[in-house]
Amino acid sequence: MSAPEEQVRTTFEQYDKDGNGKIDLIEFRELVHELGSDRSPADVEADFNAIDKDAGGLLEFEEFARWWNLRSAFDNHDEGRTGTIGLRGFQALVQALGGSRGPAALAADFNALATGERVAFDDFARWWSVRSHFDKFDRDGDAMINLGEFHLLVNELGHTGNPTEIAETFEQLDADGRGALGFDAFLRWWSTH
Ligand SMILES: [Ca+2]
Ligand SMILES: [Ca+2]
Ligand SMILES: [Ca+2]
């Protein structure tokens, strides 16, 4: 469930202290601080950059709203208000967000992400972003990214590279030689790009 647009707009304007219609890093730090996050300054900056999709150094309302709605959905499944969710909350949250993965696949992802059987929002947000891309480019829906799908993805990201280079990268990532990348290998590659 996402927060009503009006409410998101009010929050946005409240933290847009200088009223320029965008949230900059300083304004974002203040917001995160007031939410009670104990993220380090470097982590908050990394979060900011992840939300700032066009890498312009400012959060436009749409960028902010996407993040805020994800955060609200997360909080809705954080019943004890601990800032983390358990497996059941995780499964329900992904379903509410329109994710199409089955309970067993989600349980595997959850176990990879969780610390002490709980997942924090920031880890969830990173996972959700990568997972969404993985699912989008897994055109044949076999839960793996094959070379053709990898080509589409690299092009979409705006990387220039000739087909041979892309194929070489793919081969390096495909350590077990299956001819396709599972989510783990994909996640490793993604985090370096
Ligand atoms: Ca501002
Ligand atoms: Ca931006
Ligand atoms: Ca596939």
Side-chain angles (χ1 to χ4, degrees):
M1 214 194 324
S2 63
E5 162 128 6
E6 208 173 304
Q7 189 197 324
V8 183
R9 180 68 73 180
T10 306
T11 308
F12 183 82
E13 285 169 0
Q14 181 189 342
Y15 287 98
D16 175 19
K17 297 275 154 89
D18 62 3
N20 68 345
K22 324 221 164 174
I23 302 271
D24 60 34
L25 181 57
I26 295 167
E27 293 164 340
F28 184 71
R29 281 195 197 287
E30 196 160 334
L31 184 159
V32 170
H33 178 72
E34 284 186 24
L35 289 175
S37 166
D38 56 1
R39 307 271 288 161
S40 75
D43 283 348
V44 172
E45 187 166 353
D47 294 343
F48 181 89
N49 291 336
I51 302 165
D52 178 22
K53 296 287 179 206
D54 64 0
L58 294 165
L59 305 185
E60 281 73 23
F61 177 71
E62 285 68 29
E63 293 170 338
F64 177 82
R66 214 174 302 129
W67 173 76
W68 187 261
N69 285 332
L70 190 64
R71 176 135 205 144
S72 304
F74 184 92
D75 288 346
N76 284 340
H77 290 87
D78 172 16
E79 285 171 3
R81 290 281 175 267
T82 58
T84 61
I85 51 174
L87 175 58
R88 285 227 240 162
F90 181 78
Q91 288 168 327
L93 171 57
V94 174
Q95 199 173 30
L97 291 169
S100 56
R101 314 194 69 72
L106 285 177
D109 280 358
F110 178 84
N111 290 332
L113 271 181
T115 312
E117 316 225 328
R118 309 289 296 178
V119 168
F121 173 73
D122 306 292
D123 292 330
F124 177 80
R126 208 167 307 121
W127 171 84
W128 176 248
S129 165
V130 182
R131 189 40 112 174
S132 304
H133 280 88
F134 185 89
D135 290 348
K136 179 177 166 198
F137 286 95
D138 176 20
R139 297 286 162 96
D140 59 6
D142 66 350
M144 305 284 285
I145 296 288
N146 63 34
L147 181 56
E149 292 164 344
F150 191 68
H151 265 283
L152 294 173
L153 170 63
V154 172
N155 286 338
E156 163 112 355
L157 290 176
H159 283 285
T160 46
N162 64 46
T164 316
E165 282 166 1
I166 295 174
E168 276 170 12
T169 305
F170 183 85
E171 230 169 85
Q172 282 165 12
L173 292 169
D174 179 24
D176 56 6
R178 290 162 79 185
L181 309 179
F183 183 65
D184 285 2
F186 181 77
L187 185 60
R188 233 170 294 132
W189 175 76
W190 186 269
S191 46
T192 62
H193 283 76

